[in-house]
Amino acid sequence: MTPPSFDVDEFLAQPLTARIATNGPTVRPVWYLWEDGAFWVLTGPWARLMRRVERDPAVALVVDECDLATGLVRQVIARGRAELAPFDVPRGRRKLTRYLGADESRWGARFRAYLHDDAASRGTTWLCLRPTALVANDLTYETGDVES
């Protein structure tokens, strides 16, 4: 396989939305944190994602961007078996800060609750995907290549 023409870690550090697919199939958009070679996604008993992963941990996840004005098209596709792990506040803060900014007072109440409520009583859990397969594609094109 040819190495990607872009830095995958730098790409995944952006606050992009991923789509995660479970057996069913079911696909849903999620915010994620790419850290230590794994995707970290918040879940809990309020979401079907947790129950689906408990039944079948095989998942696929896609992070992509497509800017028609510049022709920038890149994607990362990951597959593997997801694990459910106890929630920890420091990682939760890092994840939410990348999407909502550093000023927690500007976050909605439901996001602050993840960090300040008792995670065990809420059932807040991490879905952790350490990919067994990770493919990065750069499909960027010259904007003059697009037909009008």
Side-chain angles (χ1 to χ4, degrees):
M1 182 174 80
T2 306
S5 61
F6 62 96
D7 185 309
V8 172
D9 290 325
E10 185 178 303
F11 174 75
L12 294 174
Q14 297 177 82
L16 299 169
T17 300
R19 280 158 305 284
I20 190 165
T22 58
N23 192 355
T26 299
V27 179
R28 64 191 35 83
V30 294
W31 286 352
Y32 67 92
L33 180 65
W34 171 250
E35 192 171 83
D36 301 327
F39 291 93
W40 298 86
V41 175
L42 277 172
T43 191
W46 60 85
R48 289 186 206 143
L49 178 59
M50 188 168 124
R51 290 186 301 280
R52 287 187 175 276
V53 167
E54 287 172 334
R55 283 194 300 267
D56 184 351
V59 300
L61 182 140
V62 174
V63 181
D64 62 350
E65 64 181 343
C66 177
D67 185 334
L68 299 177
T70 65
L72 181 66
V73 180
R74 299 184 298 185
Q75 59 186 215
V76 172
I77 304 164
R79 291 182 181 81
R81 298 181 68 76
E83 297 176 11
L84 298 173
F87 179 77
D88 64 283
V89 171
R91 179 172 281 131
R93 182 170 281 113
R94 290 190 299 275
K95 177 192 174 258
L96 293 172
T97 296
R98 67 187 242 119
Y99 289 97
L100 301 171
D103 185 356
E104 288 182 35
S105 69
R106 298 181 53 90
W107 299 3
R110 72 184 174 128
F111 299 112
R112 287 191 309 270
Y114 287 123
L115 303 182
H116 302 290
D117 286 357
D118 179 37
S121 65
R122 280 188 69 158
T124 305
T125 304
W126 285 116
L127 177 151
C128 176
L129 171 60
R130 293 189 189 284
T132 55
L134 187 108
V135 178
N137 296 307
D138 188 341
L139 306 171
T140 299
Y141 58 90
E142 295 292 325
T143 56
D145 293 346
V146 178
E147 294 180 22
S148 304

mmCIF file of all heavy atoms in Angstrom, residues 31-72:
data_model
loop_
_atom_site.group_PDB
_atom_site.id
_atom_site.type_symbol
_atom_site.label_atom_id
_atom_site.label_comp_id
_atom_site.label_asym_id
_atom_site.label_seq_id
_atom_site.Cartn_x
_atom_site.Cartn_y
_atom_site.Cartn_z
ATOM 1 N N TRP A 31 -18.629 12.560 17.259
ATOM 2 C CA TRP A 31 -17.400 13.284 17.555
ATOM 3 C C TRP A 31 -16.439 12.257 18.143
ATOM 4 O O TRP A 31 -16.863 11.324 18.835
ATOM 5 C CB TRP A 31 -17.652 14.377 18.567
ATOM 6 C CG TRP A 31 -18.385 15.573 18.042
ATOM 7 C CD1 TRP A 31 -18.714 15.847 16.745
ATOM 8 C CD2 TRP A 31 -18.867 16.662 18.817
ATOM 9 N NE1 TRP A 31 -19.365 17.042 16.675
ATOM 10 C CE2 TRP A 31 -19.479 17.570 17.937
ATOM 11 C CE3 TRP A 31 -18.847 16.964 20.173
ATOM 12 C CZ2 TRP A 31 -20.054 18.752 18.363
ATOM 13 C CZ3 TRP A 31 -19.421 18.142 20.601
ATOM 14 C CH2 TRP A 31 -20.022 19.019 19.695
ATOM 15 N N TYR A 32 -15.169 12.453 17.903
ATOM 16 C CA TYR A 32 -14.188 11.471 18.359
ATOM 17 C C TYR A 32 -12.938 12.190 18.833
ATOM 18 O O TYR A 32 -12.711 13.364 18.562
ATOM 19 C CB TYR A 32 -13.831 10.511 17.215
ATOM 20 C CG TYR A 32 -13.080 11.216 16.112
ATOM 21 C CD1 TYR A 32 -11.687 11.270 16.104
ATOM 22 C CD2 TYR A 32 -13.760 11.886 15.111
ATOM 23 C CE1 TYR A 32 -11.001 11.958 15.125
ATOM 24 C CE2 TYR A 32 -13.079 12.580 14.125
ATOM 25 C CZ TYR A 32 -11.701 12.619 14.137
ATOM 26 O OH TYR A 32 -11.023 13.310 13.172
ATOM 27 N N LEU A 33 -12.111 11.446 19.516
ATOM 28 C CA LEU A 33 -10.765 11.877 19.862
ATOM 29 C C LEU A 33 -9.820 10.817 19.329
ATOM 30 O O LEU A 33 -9.999 9.628 19.611
ATOM 31 C CB LEU A 33 -10.620 12.010 21.379
ATOM 32 C CG LEU A 33 -9.256 12.466 21.905
ATOM 33 C CD1 LEU A 33 -8.945 13.886 21.464
ATOM 34 C CD2 LEU A 33 -9.215 12.370 23.423
ATOM 35 N N TRP A 34 -8.840 11.204 18.520
ATOM 36 C CA TRP A 34 -7.811 10.292 18.026
ATOM 37 C C TRP A 34 -6.631 10.453 18.956
ATOM 38 O O TRP A 34 -6.002 11.502 19.003
ATOM 39 C CB TRP A 34 -7.447 10.645 16.594
ATOM 40 C CG TRP A 34 -6.264 9.915 16.042
ATOM 41 C CD1 TRP A 34 -5.033 10.449 15.758
ATOM 42 C CD2 TRP A 34 -6.182 8.539 15.677
ATOM 43 N NE1 TRP A 34 -4.205 9.485 15.246
ATOM 44 C CE2 TRP A 34 -4.877 8.292 15.191
ATOM 45 C CE3 TRP A 34 -7.078 7.469 15.733
ATOM 46 C CZ2 TRP A 34 -4.454 7.042 14.744
ATOM 47 C CZ3 TRP A 34 -6.661 6.226 15.302
ATOM 48 C CH2 TRP A 34 -5.374 6.009 14.812
ATOM 49 N N GLU A 35 -6.344 9.421 19.744
ATOM 50 C CA GLU A 35 -5.304 9.517 20.761
ATOM 51 C C GLU A 35 -4.714 8.136 20.997
ATOM 52 O O GLU A 35 -5.462 7.152 21.117
ATOM 53 C CB GLU A 35 -5.940 10.063 22.045
ATOM 54 C CG GLU A 35 -4.992 10.486 23.108
ATOM 55 C CD GLU A 35 -5.716 11.212 24.238
ATOM 56 O OE1 GLU A 35 -6.268 10.523 25.125
ATOM 57 O OE2 GLU A 35 -5.725 12.444 24.223
ATOM 58 N N ASP A 36 -3.395 8.062 21.079
ATOM 59 C CA ASP A 36 -2.703 6.800 21.358
ATOM 60 C C ASP A 36 -3.077 5.704 20.366
ATOM 61 O O ASP A 36 -3.232 4.543 20.727
ATOM 62 C CB ASP A 36 -2.982 6.328 22.787
ATOM 63 C CG ASP A 36 -2.536 7.336 23.837
ATOM 64 O OD1 ASP A 36 -1.523 8.028 23.596
ATOM 65 O OD2 ASP A 36 -3.209 7.452 24.879
ATOM 66 N N GLY A 37 -3.229 6.085 19.097
ATOM 67 C CA GLY A 37 -3.536 5.108 18.060
ATOM 68 C C GLY A 37 -4.937 4.545 18.119
ATOM 69 O O GLY A 37 -5.201 3.471 17.575
ATOM 70 N N ALA A 38 -5.861 5.265 18.782
ATOM 71 C CA ALA A 38 -7.234 4.777 18.918
ATOM 72 C C ALA A 38 -8.228 5.924 18.752
ATOM 73 O O ALA A 38 -7.919 7.083 19.032
ATOM 74 C CB ALA A 38 -7.441 4.136 20.288
ATOM 75 N N PHE A 39 -9.420 5.576 18.306
ATOM 76 C CA PHE A 39 -10.544 6.504 18.263
ATOM 77 C C PHE A 39 -11.334 6.334 19.557
ATOM 78 O O PHE A 39 -11.664 5.204 19.943
ATOM 79 C CB PHE A 39 -11.463 6.202 17.081
ATOM 80 C CG PHE A 39 -10.851 6.494 15.754
ATOM 81 C CD1 PHE A 39 -10.179 5.497 15.050
ATOM 82 C CD2 PHE A 39 -10.937 7.762 15.195
ATOM 83 C CE1 PHE A 39 -9.606 5.761 13.816
ATOM 84 C CE2 PHE A 39 -10.363 8.036 13.962
ATOM 85 C CZ PHE A 39 -9.700 7.025 13.270
ATOM 86 N N TRP A 40 -11.630 7.453 20.223
ATOM 87 C CA TRP A 40 -12.402 7.450 21.464
ATOM 88 C C TRP A 40 -13.709 8.194 21.219
ATOM 89 O O TRP A 40 -13.703 9.345 20.777
ATOM 90 C CB TRP A 40 -11.607 8.126 22.580
ATOM 91 C CG TRP A 40 -10.333 7.408 22.892
ATOM 92 C CD1 TRP A 40 -9.117 7.570 22.280
ATOM 93 C CD2 TRP A 40 -10.142 6.395 23.876
ATOM 94 N NE1 TRP A 40 -8.187 6.720 22.824
ATOM 95 C CE2 TRP A 40 -8.787 5.988 23.812
ATOM 96 C CE3 TRP A 40 -10.997 5.801 24.816
ATOM 97 C CZ2 TRP A 40 -8.270 5.003 24.635
ATOM 98 C CZ3 TRP A 40 -10.465 4.816 25.636
ATOM 99 C CH2 TRP A 40 -9.125 4.432 25.549
ATOM 100 N N VAL A 41 -14.831 7.516 21.489
ATOM 101 C CA VAL A 41 -16.166 8.065 21.255
ATOM 102 C C VAL A 41 -16.971 7.921 22.547
ATOM 103 O O VAL A 41 -16.986 6.843 23.151
ATOM 104 C CB VAL A 41 -16.870 7.295 20.109
ATOM 105 C CG1 VAL A 41 -18.299 7.776 19.931
ATOM 106 C CG2 VAL A 41 -16.073 7.410 18.808
ATOM 107 N N LEU A 42 -17.620 9.011 22.961
ATOM 108 C CA LEU A 42 -18.488 8.944 24.148
ATOM 109 C C LEU A 42 -19.775 8.208 23.806
ATOM 110 O O LEU A 42 -20.379 8.446 22.755
ATOM 111 C CB LEU A 42 -18.877 10.352 24.603
ATOM 112 C CG LEU A 42 -17.905 11.092 25.476
ATOM 113 C CD1 LEU A 42 -18.360 12.532 25.662
ATOM 114 C CD2 LEU A 42 -17.761 10.414 26.813
ATOM 115 N N THR A 43 -20.200 7.347 24.693
ATOM 116 C CA THR A 43 -21.482 6.678 24.531
ATOM 117 C C THR A 43 -22.020 6.352 25.923
ATOM 118 O O THR A 43 -21.401 6.665 26.932
ATOM 119 C CB THR A 43 -21.363 5.426 23.635
ATOM 120 O OG1 THR A 43 -22.686 4.975 23.300
ATOM 121 C CG2 THR A 43 -20.574 4.318 24.303
ATOM 122 N N GLY A 44 -23.163 5.740 25.964
ATOM 123 C CA GLY A 44 -23.777 5.375 27.236
ATOM 124 C C GLY A 44 -25.131 4.733 27.014
ATOM 125 O O GLY A 44 -25.547 4.520 25.868
ATOM 126 N N PRO A 45 -25.860 4.458 28.074
ATOM 127 C CA PRO A 45 -27.128 3.747 27.950
ATOM 128 C C PRO A 45 -28.202 4.530 27.188
ATOM 129 O O PRO A 45 -29.193 3.961 26.752
ATOM 130 C CB PRO A 45 -27.548 3.482 29.402
ATOM 131 C CG PRO A 45 -26.746 4.424 30.224
ATOM 132 C CD PRO A 45 -25.504 4.735 29.456
ATOM 133 N N TRP A 46 -28.003 5.827 27.005
ATOM 134 C CA TRP A 46 -28.962 6.649 26.266
ATOM 135 C C TRP A 46 -28.855 6.412 24.754
ATOM 136 O O TRP A 46 -29.710 6.839 23.994
ATOM 137 C CB TRP A 46 -28.720 8.130 26.560
ATOM 138 C CG TRP A 46 -27.344 8.576 26.179
ATOM 139 C CD1 TRP A 46 -26.913 8.987 24.951
ATOM 140 C CD2 TRP A 46 -26.198 8.593 27.021
ATOM 141 N NE1 TRP A 46 -25.567 9.267 24.977
ATOM 142 C CE2 TRP A 46 -25.100 9.031 26.241
ATOM 143 C CE3 TRP A 46 -25.973 8.297 28.363
ATOM 144 C CZ2 TRP A 46 -23.817 9.177 26.758
ATOM 145 C CZ3 TRP A 46 -24.691 8.447 28.855
ATOM 146 C CH2 TRP A 46 -23.636 8.885 28.063
ATOM 147 N N ALA A 47 -27.790 5.743 24.307
ATOM 148 C CA ALA A 47 -27.551 5.554 22.878
ATOM 149 C C ALA A 47 -27.581 4.074 22.520
ATOM 150 O O ALA A 47 -27.113 3.236 23.287
ATOM 151 C CB ALA A 47 -26.191 6.146 22.498
ATOM 152 N N ARG A 48 -28.087 3.758 21.344
ATOM 153 C CA ARG A 48 -28.095 2.371 20.882
ATOM 154 C C ARG A 48 -26.694 1.869 20.557
ATOM 155 O O ARG A 48 -26.461 0.666 20.516
ATOM 156 C CB ARG A 48 -28.974 2.245 19.647
ATOM 157 C CG ARG A 48 -30.427 2.400 19.965
ATOM 158 C CD ARG A 48 -31.264 2.122 18.743
ATOM 159 N NE ARG A 48 -32.509 2.857 18.889
ATOM 160 C CZ ARG A 48 -33.150 3.440 17.923
ATOM 161 N NH1 ARG A 48 -32.694 3.372 16.699
ATOM 162 N NH2 ARG A 48 -34.259 4.085 18.153
ATOM 163 N N LEU A 49 -25.772 2.801 20.309
ATOM 164 C CA LEU A 49 -24.411 2.424 19.936
ATOM 165 C C LEU A 49 -23.798 1.477 20.964
ATOM 166 O O LEU A 49 -23.202 0.455 20.607
ATOM 167 C CB LEU A 49 -23.548 3.682 19.779
ATOM 168 C CG LEU A 49 -22.081 3.474 19.431
ATOM 169 C CD1 LEU A 49 -21.917 2.719 18.117
ATOM 170 C CD2 LEU A 49 -21.366 4.819 19.374
ATOM 171 N N MET A 50 -23.956 1.789 22.230
ATOM 172 C CA MET A 50 -23.366 0.969 23.287
ATOM 173 C C MET A 50 -23.932 -0.460 23.242
ATOM 174 O O MET A 50 -23.179 -1.440 23.290
ATOM 175 C CB MET A 50 -23.640 1.602 24.654
ATOM 176 C CG MET A 50 -22.910 0.950 25.788
ATOM 177 S SD MET A 50 -23.020 1.969 27.275
ATOM 178 C CE MET A 50 -23.709 0.809 28.398
ATOM 179 N N ARG A 51 -25.240 -0.600 23.113
ATOM 180 C CA ARG A 51 -25.862 -1.929 23.082
ATOM 181 C C ARG A 51 -25.447 -2.710 21.826
ATOM 182 O O ARG A 51 -25.209 -3.911 21.886
ATOM 183 C CB ARG A 51 -27.379 -1.803 23.167
ATOM 184 C CG ARG A 51 -27.835 -1.327 24.540
ATOM 185 C CD ARG A 51 -29.350 -1.325 24.706
ATOM 186 N NE ARG A 51 -30.073 -0.495 23.748
ATOM 187 C CZ ARG A 51 -30.210 0.838 23.840
ATOM 188 N NH1 ARG A 51 -29.663 1.490 24.837
ATOM 189 N NH2 ARG A 51 -30.902 1.504 22.938
ATOM 190 N N ARG A 52 -25.335 -1.999 20.708
ATOM 191 C CA ARG A 52 -24.941 -2.676 19.465
ATOM 192 C C ARG A 52 -23.512 -3.215 19.573
ATOM 193 O O ARG A 52 -23.226 -4.325 19.125
ATOM 194 C CB ARG A 52 -25.067 -1.730 18.278
ATOM 195 C CG ARG A 52 -26.497 -1.466 17.889
ATOM 196 C CD ARG A 52 -26.552 -0.656 16.600
ATOM 197 N NE ARG A 52 -27.906 -0.492 16.151
ATOM 198 C CZ ARG A 52 -28.582 -1.378 15.428
ATOM 199 N NH1 ARG A 52 -28.011 -2.514 15.088
ATOM 200 N NH2 ARG A 52 -29.807 -1.138 15.059
ATOM 201 N N VAL A 53 -22.612 -2.421 20.161
ATOM 202 C CA VAL A 53 -21.220 -2.852 20.313
ATOM 203 C C VAL A 53 -21.118 -3.992 21.319
ATOM 204 O O VAL A 53 -20.297 -4.893 21.151
ATOM 205 C CB VAL A 53 -20.322 -1.656 20.693
ATOM 206 C CG1 VAL A 53 -18.952 -2.099 21.156
ATOM 207 C CG2 VAL A 53 -20.200 -0.704 19.504
ATOM 208 N N GLU A 54 -21.959 -3.982 22.355
ATOM 209 C CA GLU A 54 -21.962 -5.099 23.312
ATOM 210 C C GLU A 54 -22.351 -6.395 22.607
ATOM 211 O O GLU A 54 -21.799 -7.454 22.895
ATOM 212 C CB GLU A 54 -22.925 -4.813 24.465
ATOM 213 C CG GLU A 54 -22.409 -3.770 25.430
ATOM 214 C CD GLU A 54 -23.437 -3.343 26.466
ATOM 215 O OE1 GLU A 54 -24.655 -3.446 26.215
ATOM 216 O OE2 GLU A 54 -23.006 -2.881 27.532
ATOM 217 N N ARG A 55 -23.303 -6.316 21.657
ATOM 218 C CA ARG A 55 -23.746 -7.516 20.924
ATOM 219 C C ARG A 55 -22.733 -7.963 19.876
ATOM 220 O O ARG A 55 -22.543 -9.151 19.650
ATOM 221 C CB ARG A 55 -25.097 -7.260 20.251
ATOM 222 C CG ARG A 55 -26.270 -7.308 21.196
ATOM 223 C CD ARG A 55 -27.584 -7.398 20.442
ATOM 224 N NE ARG A 55 -27.833 -6.286 19.548
ATOM 225 C CZ ARG A 55 -28.521 -5.186 19.864
ATOM 226 N NH1 ARG A 55 -29.036 -5.046 21.051
ATOM 227 N NH2 ARG A 55 -28.693 -4.239 18.980
ATOM 228 N N ASP A 56 -22.119 -6.976 19.198
ATOM 229 C CA ASP A 56 -21.162 -7.295 18.137
ATOM 230 C C ASP A 56 -20.160 -6.145 18.059
ATOM 231 O O ASP A 56 -20.487 -5.069 17.575
ATOM 232 C CB ASP A 56 -21.882 -7.469 16.800
ATOM 233 C CG ASP A 56 -20.942 -7.895 15.676
ATOM 234 O OD1 ASP A 56 -19.707 -7.890 15.866
ATOM 235 O OD2 ASP A 56 -21.443 -8.220 14.587
ATOM 236 N N PRO A 57 -18.931 -6.355 18.515
ATOM 237 C CA PRO A 57 -17.960 -5.263 18.585
ATOM 238 C C PRO A 57 -17.300 -4.886 17.254
ATOM 239 O O PRO A 57 -16.499 -3.959 17.211
ATOM 240 C CB PRO A 57 -16.920 -5.781 19.582
ATOM 241 C CG PRO A 57 -17.002 -7.250 19.468
ATOM 242 C CD PRO A 57 -18.440 -7.574 19.158
ATOM 243 N N ALA A 58 -17.621 -5.589 16.163
ATOM 244 C CA ALA A 58 -17.032 -5.249 14.862
ATOM 245 C C ALA A 58 -17.614 -3.926 14.385
ATOM 246 O O ALA A 58 -18.838 -3.781 14.274
ATOM 247 C CB ALA A 58 -17.304 -6.355 13.848
ATOM 248 N N VAL A 59 -16.740 -2.949 14.119
ATOM 249 C CA VAL A 59 -17.182 -1.636 13.646
ATOM 250 C C VAL A 59 -16.268 -1.146 12.527
ATOM 251 O O VAL A 59 -15.142 -1.622 12.367
ATOM 252 C CB VAL A 59 -17.225 -0.571 14.774
ATOM 253 C CG1 VAL A 59 -18.176 -0.991 15.882
ATOM 254 C CG2 VAL A 59 -15.856 -0.274 15.325
ATOM 255 N N ALA A 60 -16.772 -0.198 11.787
ATOM 256 C CA ALA A 60 -15.990 0.548 10.803
ATOM 257 C C ALA A 60 -16.244 2.020 11.090
ATOM 258 O O ALA A 60 -17.318 2.398 11.557
ATOM 259 C CB ALA A 60 -16.409 0.191 9.386
ATOM 260 N N LEU A 61 -15.243 2.845 10.826
ATOM 261 C CA LEU A 61 -15.351 4.273 11.101
ATOM 262 C C LEU A 61 -14.681 5.025 9.958
ATOM 263 O O LEU A 61 -13.629 4.615 9.473
ATOM 264 C CB LEU A 61 -14.659 4.582 12.429
ATOM 265 C CG LEU A 61 -14.699 6.016 12.923
ATOM 266 C CD1 LEU A 61 -14.931 6.053 14.416
ATOM 267 C CD2 LEU A 61 -13.428 6.754 12.561
ATOM 268 N N VAL A 62 -15.318 6.105 9.521
ATOM 269 C CA VAL A 62 -14.786 6.934 8.445
ATOM 270 C C VAL A 62 -14.726 8.373 8.920
ATOM 271 O O VAL A 62 -15.686 8.886 9.506
ATOM 272 C CB VAL A 62 -15.679 6.871 7.185
ATOM 273 C CG1 VAL A 62 -15.198 7.842 6.116
ATOM 274 C CG2 VAL A 62 -15.752 5.467 6.639
ATOM 275 N N VAL A 63 -13.587 9.022 8.679
ATOM 276 C CA VAL A 63 -13.425 10.458 8.865
ATOM 277 C C VAL A 63 -13.018 11.001 7.508
ATOM 278 O O VAL A 63 -12.072 10.482 6.900
ATOM 279 C CB VAL A 63 -12.340 10.805 9.910
ATOM 280 C CG1 VAL A 63 -12.219 12.305 10.085
ATOM 281 C CG2 VAL A 63 -12.625 10.125 11.248
ATOM 282 N N ASP A 64 -13.752 12.006 7.024
ATOM 283 C CA ASP A 64 -13.396 12.535 5.719
ATOM 284 C C ASP A 64 -13.678 14.025 5.644
ATOM 285 O O ASP A 64 -14.335 14.592 6.512
ATOM 286 C CB ASP A 64 -14.127 11.790 4.600
ATOM 287 C CG ASP A 64 -15.641 11.927 4.683
ATOM 288 O OD1 ASP A 64 -16.166 12.430 5.699
ATOM 289 O OD2 ASP A 64 -16.309 11.530 3.719
ATOM 290 N N GLU A 65 -13.124 14.624 4.611
ATOM 291 C CA GLU A 65 -13.416 16.016 4.318
ATOM 292 C C GLU A 65 -13.479 16.170 2.808
ATOM 293 O O GLU A 65 -12.766 15.478 2.077
ATOM 294 C CB GLU A 65 -12.388 16.963 4.923
ATOM 295 C CG GLU A 65 -10.986 16.827 4.383
ATOM 296 C CD GLU A 65 -9.996 17.773 5.041
ATOM 297 O OE1 GLU A 65 -10.413 18.755 5.683
ATOM 298 O OE2 GLU A 65 -8.788 17.524 4.896
ATOM 299 N N CYS A 66 -14.360 17.066 2.373
ATOM 300 C CA CYS A 66 -14.536 17.323 0.952
ATOM 301 C C CYS A 66 -14.847 18.805 0.794
ATOM 302 O O CYS A 66 -15.899 19.266 1.240
ATOM 303 C CB CYS A 66 -15.670 16.468 0.395
ATOM 304 S SG CYS A 66 -16.001 16.788 -1.352
ATOM 305 N N ASP A 67 -13.923 19.543 0.210
ATOM 306 C CA ASP A 67 -14.106 20.976 -0.020
ATOM 307 C C ASP A 67 -14.176 21.190 -1.526
ATOM 308 O O ASP A 67 -13.150 21.160 -2.219
ATOM 309 C CB ASP A 67 -12.954 21.756 0.603
ATOM 310 C CG ASP A 67 -13.140 23.253 0.513
ATOM 311 O OD1 ASP A 67 -13.844 23.729 -0.411
ATOM 312 O OD2 ASP A 67 -12.571 23.962 1.359
ATOM 313 N N LEU A 68 -15.375 21.390 -2.047
ATOM 314 C CA LEU A 68 -15.564 21.530 -3.485
ATOM 315 C C LEU A 68 -14.897 22.786 -4.030
ATOM 316 O O LEU A 68 -14.487 22.816 -5.192
ATOM 317 C CB LEU A 68 -17.052 21.533 -3.815
ATOM 318 C CG LEU A 68 -17.807 20.256 -3.429
ATOM 319 C CD1 LEU A 68 -19.288 20.411 -3.730
ATOM 320 C CD2 LEU A 68 -17.226 19.046 -4.113
ATOM 321 N N ALA A 69 -14.761 23.825 -3.216
ATOM 322 C CA ALA A 69 -14.141 25.068 -3.677
ATOM 323 C C ALA A 69 -12.649 24.903 -3.935
ATOM 324 O O ALA A 69 -12.103 25.495 -4.862
ATOM 325 C CB ALA A 69 -14.380 26.181 -2.653
ATOM 326 N N THR A 70 -11.983 24.080 -3.124
ATOM 327 C CA THR A 70 -10.531 23.914 -3.271
ATOM 328 C C THR A 70 -10.137 22.574 -3.883
ATOM 329 O O THR A 70 -8.993 22.397 -4.288
ATOM 330 C CB THR A 70 -9.832 24.020 -1.899
ATOM 331 O OG1 THR A 70 -10.255 22.917 -1.081
ATOM 332 C CG2 THR A 70 -10.154 25.342 -1.214
ATOM 333 N N GLY A 71 -11.060 21.614 -3.908
ATOM 334 C CA GLY A 71 -10.756 20.281 -4.409
ATOM 335 C C GLY A 71 -10.111 19.364 -3.389
ATOM 336 O O GLY A 71 -9.697 18.259 -3.700
ATOM 337 N N LEU A 72 -10.046 19.808 -2.136
ATOM 338 C CA LEU A 72 -9.437 19.008 -1.075
ATOM 339 C C LEU A 72 -10.388 17.873 -0.676
ATOM 340 O O LEU A 72 -11.496 18.128 -0.203
ATOM 341 C CB LEU A 72 -9.126 19.879 0.142
ATOM 342 C CG LEU A 72 -8.463 19.183 1.324
ATOM 343 C CD1 LEU A 72 -7.065 18.706 0.943
ATOM 344 C CD2 LEU A 72 -8.396 20.117 2.514
#
